[in-house]
Amino acid sequence: MAKNLLLEIGIEEIPARFMEPALAQMAELTKTKLKEANLAYKSIKTLGTPRRLTLIVEQLAEEQPDITIEVKGPAQKAAYDAEGNPTKALQGFCRSQGFLPENLTIKELNGVPYVYAAKEKKGEAAVKVLPKLLVEVIHKIYFPKPMRWGYEEMRFARPIRWIVSLFGEEILPLELAKVKAGRVSRGHRFLGSQQLEIKNAAVYEETLAKEYVIVDQNKRKVLAWQSIQEVAAKAGMTVKEDKELLDEVTYLLEYPTALMGNFSENYLDMPEELIVTPMREHQRYFPVFDKAGKLLNHFIAVRNGNSDHLATVQAGNEKVLQARLADAAFFWQEDCQKPLEENLPRLENIVFHEKLGTLAAKVQRVAKLAAIIAAKLAYSKADQKATVRAAQLMKCDLVSHAVYEFTELQGTMGKYYAQVYNEEEQVALAIEEHYQPRFAGDVLPETKAGQALAMADRIDSLVGFFGQEMFPTGSQDPYAMRRQAMGVAQIIIKKQLDLSISELFAAAYDLYDPKLVKMVSNKADTVTNLVNFFKQRIDNIMTEEGAEYDVVNSVLSKPFDKPVESHQKAMALQVFRSEAGFAELIAGFTRAANLLKNANTDGMVKEALLNESSEKALYEGVVAVEAKTAVLLAEHDYLAALQTIGTLRPLIDDFFNQVMVMAEDEAVRNNRLALLAKVVGVTDKIGDLAKIVM
């Protein structure tokens, strides 16, 4: 027999960002605990609103099954003496387990026979097991900022106000923070009953829905988005899909109803981001656009309730947004009173990091490093000039009124201020682009100045932190060094930039003034550590793009310095491994590499010692392949180079079939090993094919 389990933890409003992790933990913890308790079930689901975390386990067994528990005793040789009588060790074991020696069994463990006592354990009723189990689940749910309330020692996201705990229709007796479980839940805070009796899990969602609570977050999200779209469509307008905002709104309410509000058209003269940011980030409103994608002086809010008194709710939301936009307009007008470069002196008063100096010093370093990158990439004089100018202005908006209030607009506002004072368009765009990519999957800088700045800014920070030996650890990365390194790697690879990262790290290290910044690590160690750090980022990119782990290992086992080349080699090798004959080629290279492991050869092949036709053919083939691949490698055509190397396969096969490599004549033996070393060496500039697993 099986019944459904329902657990609802009623709480004061929980922050939206806590909800999804909490629900996921609740499901996983329950799954683990039920497995430990040996209670079978059909499915587990978790539901949540700002005022409740709910667990439903369908078709949960009413009893644990009876099981046999085997308790291991002493080894057989220690359990019986020479005459076969029980020793004191065995007698003690029997007393502790309540068994007679004749009732024990003998079983082998790792080839050693032991005595075992087999006990029958009768399964307990689920109603006896579940209360303690559920309390343990609740206590183990982690929240970033838990709180205590009253005189209670328990910590939770917010104070617990009620608990519904039902197995079938029976109340499971459990208590948390002096709150006893029952069957009474609460509906919507203002529209629903505060004494809502739940009969069982089967009618739980339906019962709450009648009291204006859509407890299933997925259904609530769908209803919210449908309501938003209906309001927009009715007015002949559109709303852009915004998953992050919709997810947050879903966990801010229990019963979604969308409504449209308005604001003055005068605010549309400001940059769009300065309107949308307070609307979206502060008020959780959805901006509204016309069919062409132009921002309109309207917004859509989602209230927690029904359609009653929407006009009053609309007026209240409009009033709040009016104040936000008035502030934004004031900031915009004030910031536009002077050009960006007048903010440069103020950067002297901002500390980038206590060990790495001021923001002004960082700007100077980044400008010089960006100029070095521009030169290495052969930028035109105009692009180099734009790069340096953008570097000088890139952090100036950080002391503007708008960015001080709306920090997420750093770079974006700098772009607009630069445009107001007629800076070159590439300069303005680069100020915004140097923050890109901000996160995984974000857009990359498009302008040349933006690319150089984005890399220079991140490399300067990475060199500074690594130079101070402030390395990220497995769980700690307070300065987002992994993200910064990944950003540089993505720009280099996606934009196909021919850059040596070791040269850039060394140049960045030299730009730190030793009189102002005392580095803990020397330049050589800093560069080495950063190159290894970047290698892992490149590994991640290759893997995400479909390169298999052994392909990545093969390429990265060789000297690593230019990410774009390593990436191209891995992608070419990934394609090449699917071609006919690849497995046989790898077998030959692996065999050759194994023979060379303990060999001592200078790699010089003496043609006079090549006696067999197959070794002569292989030597001639290798020489020809070396010449062809040298040209292809210079052109970065790595797939063609691999395919050229692949033509050696039949020659390698013939060599191993017809030649005894480890000949008795030492000179001949060493010459053949040198030939194999030459064969293996043709792949040196691409990867170690012996690392490919077939």
Side-chain angles (χ1 to χ4, degrees), residues 372-614:
I372 291 172
I373 293 173
K376 287 182 178 295
L377 294 174
Y379 282 10
S380 67
K381 289 185 178 180
D383 288 337
Q384 290 189 46
K385 182 180 177 182
T387 299
V388 173
R389 178 59 175 169
Q392 293 170 342
L393 302 178
M394 67 178 186
K395 302 296 183 183
C396 288
D397 67 339
L398 295 181
V399 292
S400 67
H401 292 84
V403 174
Y404 183 83
E405 180 69 16
F406 308 112
T407 55
E408 53 270 74
L409 292 181
Q410 59 183 2
T412 300
M413 296 311 301
K415 175 188 71 175
Y416 287 118
Y417 298 143
Q419 289 171 338
V420 167
Y421 280 90
N422 299 315
E423 292 285 350
E424 184 186 340
E425 186 64 10
Q426 184 177 191
V427 171
L429 292 174
I431 293 172
E432 179 178 49
E433 288 179 336
H434 91 274
Y435 287 104
Q436 298 169 350
R438 288 180 167 88
F439 49 85
D442 192 17
V443 295
L444 301 178
E446 288 298 326
T447 66
K448 290 187 175 181
Q451 291 166 17
L453 277 190
M455 290 186 287
D457 187 25
R458 289 165 172 81
I459 289 172
D460 173 78
S461 298
L462 288 163
V463 169
F465 290 127
F466 270 68
Q468 297 294 349
E469 295 187 356
M470 299 167 64
F471 308 122
T473 63
S475 59
Q476 299 294 320
D477 188 8
Y479 302 109
M481 285 183 264
R482 291 187 183 90
R483 189 177 70 214
Q484 293 193 59
M486 184 63 85
V488 176
Q490 286 177 331
I491 293 171
I492 291 176
I493 289 173
K494 300 296 184 183
K495 300 301 180 181
Q496 298 288 288
L497 304 180
D498 185 19
L499 289 170
S500 161
I501 56 173
S502 62
E503 290 179 4
L504 295 182
F505 297 149
Y509 191 98
D510 290 338
L511 290 172
Y512 273 91
D513 187 344
K515 296 178 182 178
L516 301 176
V517 177
K518 304 296 182 184
M519 292 293 196
V520 176
S521 177
N522 62 44
K523 181 166 73 173
D525 290 344
T526 300
V527 171
T528 299
N529 289 333
L530 273 169
V531 168
N532 291 332
F533 186 63
F534 259 72
K535 188 182 288 189
Q536 183 58 53
R537 313 283 79 76
I538 303 302
D539 185 325
N540 294 341
I541 291 175
M542 292 174 180
T543 302
E544 287 173 3
E545 294 188 9
E548 295 179 52
Y549 78 95
D550 53 347
V551 168
V552 174
N553 291 342
S554 172
V555 171
L556 294 183
S557 66
K558 297 300 178 180
F560 166 77
D561 188 43
K562 292 190 173 183
V564 69
E565 288 187 3
S566 295
H567 178 266
Q568 290 171 346
K569 291 172 184 176
M571 295 301 107
L573 184 53
Q574 183 63 39
V575 172
F576 182 58
R577 77 175 298 165
S578 64
E579 296 188 359
F582 180 78
E584 293 80 0
L585 178 67
I586 293 302
F589 270 90
T590 302
R591 186 174 176 183
N594 289 336
L595 286 169
L596 291 168
K597 281 182 180 178
N598 299 315
N600 185 16
T601 175
D602 58 8
M604 299 297 293
V605 181
K606 298 180 177 65
E607 291 187 62
L609 294 176
L610 299 173
N611 301 319
E612 303 291 338
S613 60
S614 59

Side-chain angles (χ1 to χ4, degrees), residues 182-400:
R183 65 172 68 252
V184 177
S185 180
R186 300 181 189 180
H188 189 281
R189 184 179 288 279
F190 305 112
L191 303 175
S193 169
Q194 302 308 297
Q195 291 293 317
L196 186 61
E197 188 171 293
I198 306 297
K199 184 178 180 181
N200 55 47
V203 299
Y204 172 70
E205 291 185 55
E206 177 187 349
T207 304
L208 282 172
K210 292 177 181 178
E211 300 299 325
Y212 298 96
V213 175
I214 309 301
V215 71
D216 186 324
Q217 62 273 15
N218 297 316
K219 293 178 181 178
R220 201 163 62 250
K221 183 189 295 186
V222 170
L223 288 172
W225 183 237
Q226 286 177 346
S227 182
I228 291 166
Q229 290 180 304
E230 287 170 3
V231 169
K234 187 176 180 180
M237 304 170 191
T238 63
V239 177
K240 296 177 181 178
E241 190 171 349
D242 188 334
K243 182 180 183 303
E244 184 180 343
L245 179 58
L246 182 60
D247 286 345
E248 184 174 9
V249 167
T250 298
Y251 287 116
L252 288 174
L253 45 79
E254 294 190 316
Y255 195 84
T257 300
L259 60 100
M260 181 173 287
N262 313 295
F263 59 88
S264 172
E265 287 188 23
N266 295 332
Y267 292 121
L268 294 177
D269 294 334
M270 296 190 299
E272 182 176 301
E273 294 87 345
L274 199 54
I275 303 169
V276 170
T277 297
M279 187 187 299
R280 180 185 183 278
E281 302 295 334
H282 294 195
Q283 300 305 126
R284 277 58 177 180
Y285 298 159
F286 289 81
V288 177
F289 302 84
D290 64 15
K291 300 294 184 181
K294 181 183 177 182
L295 182 68
L296 300 174
N297 62 315
H298 307 285
F299 64 89
I300 292 179
V302 186
R303 74 170 296 191
N304 183 22
N306 58 14
S307 57
D308 293 346
H309 312 296
L310 281 187
T312 303
V313 177
Q314 175 185 334
N317 281 280
E318 289 174 347
K319 185 176 181 180
V320 174
L321 183 60
Q322 162 65 26
R324 292 283 190 186
L325 293 178
D327 287 344
F330 173 77
F331 298 147
W332 169 247
Q333 292 163 7
E334 286 293 302
D335 290 336
C336 287
Q337 296 300 312
K338 58 183 180 182
L340 265 179
E341 59 188 333
E342 289 190 18
N343 287 338
L344 267 173
R346 296 175 63 188
L347 299 183
E348 294 281 0
N349 301 320
I350 300 177
V351 176
F352 168 61
H353 187 277
E354 59 182 359
K355 292 184 178 181
L356 300 176
T358 65
L359 200 55
K362 178 178 177 62
V363 167
Q364 293 173 5
R365 292 192 304 270
V366 170
K368 293 175 182 177
L369 183 58
I372 291 172
I373 293 173
K376 287 182 178 295
L377 294 174
Y379 282 10
S380 67
K381 289 185 178 180
D383 288 337
Q384 290 189 46
K385 182 180 177 182
T387 299
V388 173
R389 178 59 175 169
Q392 293 170 342
L393 302 178
M394 67 178 186
K395 302 296 183 183
C396 288
D397 67 339
L398 295 181
V399 292
S400 67

Side-chain angles (χ1 to χ4, degrees), residues 120-132:
E120 295 295 327
K121 182 180 179 182
K122 186 170 179 59
E124 290 189 278
V127 291
K128 292 185 177 180
V129 176
L130 288 173
K132 181 182 177 182

